């Protein structure tokens, strides 16, 4: 129990967030939406880590989360830069148009 | 001096390397001189070693050069053995080898492959020396294969001629059959005695079962059959006459073909123990002798006659080996080397004079044009026919006497062989040197005596053919038989002759009378009646036709072995090779190609598709991990 809420709810919320993220990545073609969905999946995992960290009274889970957030911030910076470069080249951020590596 | 034995094979090897690498850059004269001098150096050293060995009480020296193979239980040091047998062969090989090198300088003078010829010839002498000097069967085998290779190279020396190449291939393949037997024999020796050094093997030979010894002896004999051209593997030797004549004299008469004799004399203990093996050797020998001698009767190619004569004389030597007369066989090897080399070189001189013609039907009356060749060939012919006091008489008589002691039947066939020999050799002599010239006018104009480099070896060999018999005078003449005394230590088990002297006198008398009668018969046929051999298309009586065509042995081998092998090969090629082997290889290829083109469709380049596949894969893995 964390603050009167069962761990199961945390798990459920995390799973739902993750699945939304995963489905978003699979289903959408807009690169920015896909990007946001990836962040969603990352945060689902973060939530899970924090929940278990509190449950077990172990701070290392929260340390992980800080690291993940820092790395995710860096990743966002790089990812958005790539996206803007793609847009400059293709005039679109539709992933279906990005098939230059084929053949 | 004996310590320097390693130099004897080294000199020809150096000559080979110089001629092989620089032959094209140096002049013809220098190339021939280098080759001849290297053999001469070996010869001088051999003589010194021979003299020293003769004077010493110790009769067997082993010189260890280096450790060659050292693998588990197989330990083969590279040792050379100097004993009376190998020393005698050294003299024959280097002595006659030197004379033939000198002869070749004259004979091959106009050939474009001059230095190549001497390269091969030097290599041959090197391997032949290795063969007789080795102190174990493996070194002998190396030499054995080496001389086979050189024989192949030299038979096919004029490689632009397809027939010559085929002859070379035939010699090689026939020899391989024999070599396989020899190799199996060596392996069996190693299995039986766990050593292949002569002294160790011979020491233990009495301790194993006779059956095993018989196997070894017969396998070794198969090797000897191939190399020394015995029935049924003899057919390569007459074809080997495709090579230049000095090659025929050196390799296919004087030295290489006697390697089989050397090997059996070296391993004489096996044949003394195994009665079956020695009987086989004697019977194969006498049949070969008779068979080849009859073929020789009606041949028209001067070199082919000599080739069949060689096969026949080798058969006689094997007869001697089979009846236990090892030293007599070595004696005959020696005298045969003298007079057969002489006859071949003489034939070469005749061919040289005739501008390449080898058919005796187109010769005749040459005695006045090429006197030295004629006289020396006459001496050689008398020697091979067995008239006293020429060398062939003594050696042949010794073999026949031992054969008589063993079995009068063997003696009878041996005697018939020597009569046939006398007949065809005098036929050759009469047809070539007497009567009228039957060649073209141009050839007649061209007739000339050969240069000194060719007549000098002829004269030396002729002298040796005359006096060679002194090496082994009959024992009952109360003269020292140097040959058998000399080889005393090499022959490990002896059966001393118990024949009464009057029997020996009688045999000798029969032999001489038979030879004279045969020669007289040949004289009547070819000199008085002036009979000429039939032309190619003339109708021949049945037996003569059979003999003229060499009993159709080549055709028989062709029909029984070559043709079925061909058919079988083609069948295997069509079925096994094309269907199965090619099928598997091509099948693997097209399967990979098919799978590839199927799997290629997955690589769409669509990121969404990749992500879906990845998620499905992860979900699948998770399910498998946690639920099962």
């Amino acid at each position: 129990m964390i603050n009167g809420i069962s761990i199961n709810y945390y798990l459920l919320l995390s799973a739902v967030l993750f699945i939304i993220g995963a489905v978003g990545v699979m289903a959408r073609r807009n690169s920015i939406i896909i990007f946001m969905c990836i962040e969603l999946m990352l945060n689902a995992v973060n939530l899970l880590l924090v929940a278990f960290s509190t449950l077990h009274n172990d701070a290392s889970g929260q340390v992980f989360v800080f690291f993940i957030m820092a790395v995710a911030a860096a990743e966002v910076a790089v990812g958005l830069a790539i996206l803007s470069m793609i847009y400059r080249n293709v005039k679109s951020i539709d992933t279906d148009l990005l098939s230059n590596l084929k053949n | 001096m004996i310590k320097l034995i390693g130099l004897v094979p080294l000199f020809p090897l150096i000559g080979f390397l110089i001629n092989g690498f620089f032959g094209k850059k140096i002049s013809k004269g220098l190339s021939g001189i280098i080759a001849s001098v290297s053999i001469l150096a070996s010869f001088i050293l051999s003589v010194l070693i021979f003299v020293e060995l003769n004077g010493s009480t110790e009769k067997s020296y082993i010189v260890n050069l280096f450790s060659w193979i050292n693998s588990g239980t197989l330990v083969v040091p590279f040792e050379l053995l100097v004993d009376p047998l190998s020393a005698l062969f050294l003299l024959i090989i280097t002595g006659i080898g030197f004379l033939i090198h000198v002869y070749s300088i004259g004979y091959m003078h106009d050939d474009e492959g001059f230095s190549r010829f001497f390269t091969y010839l030097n290599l041959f002498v090197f391997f032949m020396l290795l063969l007789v000097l080795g102190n174990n069967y493996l070194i002998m085998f190396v030499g054995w294969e080496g001389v086979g290779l050189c024989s192949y190279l030299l038979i096919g020396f004029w490689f632009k001629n397809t027939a010559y190449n085929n002859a070379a291939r035939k010699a090689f393949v026939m020899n391989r059959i024999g070599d396989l037997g020899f190799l199996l024999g060596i392996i069996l020796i190693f299995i039986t005695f766990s050593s292949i050094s002569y002294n160790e093997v011979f020491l233990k030979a009495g301790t194993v079962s006779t059956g095993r010894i018989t196997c070894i002896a017969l396998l070794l004999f198969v090797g000897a059959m191939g190399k020394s051209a015995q029935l049924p593997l003899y057919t390569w030797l007459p074809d080997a006459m495709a090579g230049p004549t000095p090659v025929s004299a050196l390799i296919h008469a004087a030295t290489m073909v006697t390697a089989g004799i050397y090997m059996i004399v070296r391993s004489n203990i096996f044949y003394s123990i195994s009665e079956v093996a020695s009987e086989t050797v004697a019977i194969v020998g006498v049949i070969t002798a008779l068979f080849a001698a009859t073929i020789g009767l009606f041949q028209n190619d001067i070199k082919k006659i000599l080739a069949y004569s060689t096969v026949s004389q080798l058969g006689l030597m094997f007869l001697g080996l089979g009846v236990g007369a090892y030293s007599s066989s070595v004696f005959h090897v020696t005298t045969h080397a003298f007079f057969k080399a002489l006859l071949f070189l003489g034939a070469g001189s005749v061919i040289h004079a005739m501008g390449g013609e080898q058919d005796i039907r187109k010769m005749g009356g040459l005695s006045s044009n090429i006197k030295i060749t004629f006289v020396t060939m006459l001496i050689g012919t008398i020697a091979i026919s067995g008239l006293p006091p020429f060398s062939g008489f003594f050696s042949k008589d010794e073999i026949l006497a031992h054969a008589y002691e063993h079995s009068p039947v063997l003696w009878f066939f041996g005697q018939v062989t020597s009569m046939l020999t006398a007949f065809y050799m005098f036929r050759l002599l009469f047809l070539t040197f007497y009567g009228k010239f039957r060649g073209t006018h141009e050839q007649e104009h061209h007739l000339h005596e050969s240069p000194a480099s060719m007549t000098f070896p002829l004269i030396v060999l002729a002298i040796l053919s005359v006096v060679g018999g002194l090496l082994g005078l009959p024992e009952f003449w109360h003269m020292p038989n140097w040959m058998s005394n000399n080889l005393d230590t090499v022959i490990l088990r002896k059966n001393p002759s118990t024949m009464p002297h009057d029997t020996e006198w009688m045999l000798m008398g029969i032999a001489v009378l038979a030879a004279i009668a045969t020669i007289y018969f040949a004289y009547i046929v070819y000199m008085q009646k002036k009979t000429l051999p039939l032309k190619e298309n003339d109708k021949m009586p049945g037996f003569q036709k059979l003999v003229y065509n060499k009993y159709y042995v080549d055709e028989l081998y062709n029909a029984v072995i070559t043709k079925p092998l061909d058919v079988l090969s083609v069948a295997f090629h069509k079925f096994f090779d094309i269907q199965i082997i090619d099928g598997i290889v091509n099948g693997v290829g097209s399967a990979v190609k098919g799978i590839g083109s199927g799997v290629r469709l997955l690589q769409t380049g669509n990121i969404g598709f990749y992500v879906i596949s990845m998620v499905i894969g992860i979900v699948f893995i998770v399910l498998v991990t946690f639920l099962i």
Side-chain angles (χ1 to χ4, degrees), chain B residues 229-231 234 281-298 308-319 400 409-421 424 543 547 550-551:
Chain B
Q230 294 299 292
L231 228 53
Y234 75 97
V281 173
I283 290 167
V284 169
V286 79
I287 294 175
T288 310
L290 199 60
F291 191 80
T294 52
I295 297 178
L297 287 179
F298 295 114
Y308 280 107
S309 160
T310 306
V311 176
S312 163
Q313 297 295 314
L314 289 167
L316 273 185
M317 294 172 204
F318 277 100
L319 170 64
L400 289 178
V409 180
L410 290 178
W411 168 81
F412 176 74
F413 287 122
Q415 184 58 49
V416 171
T417 304
S418 77
M419 284 166 71
L420 293 175
T421 308
Y424 63 69
F543 179 69
V547 171
K550 306 148 196 165
Y551 294 104

Side-chain angles (χ1 to χ4, degrees), chain B residues 2 4 95 129 166 212 243 282 289 334 350 372 401 404 424 433 456 462 464 470 510-511 524 557 588 604:
Chain B
I2 286 173
L4 296 177
L129 290 170
N166 287 343
R212 185 58 82 85
T334 316
V350 170
I372 301 176
Y404 184 83
Y424 63 69
F433 291 102
F456 165 71
L464 287 172
L470 297 177
I510 293 175
I524 292 176
Y557 284 177
V588 169
T604 54

Side-chain angles (χ1 to χ4, degrees), chain B residues 569-587:
Chain B
S569 309
V570 170
F572 268 121
H573 172 69
K574 285 210 172 119
F575 170 68
F576 199 75
D577 248 53
I578 293 186
Q579 303 282 322
I580 296 185
I581 306 260
D582 287 8
I584 290 174
V585 173
N586 292 340

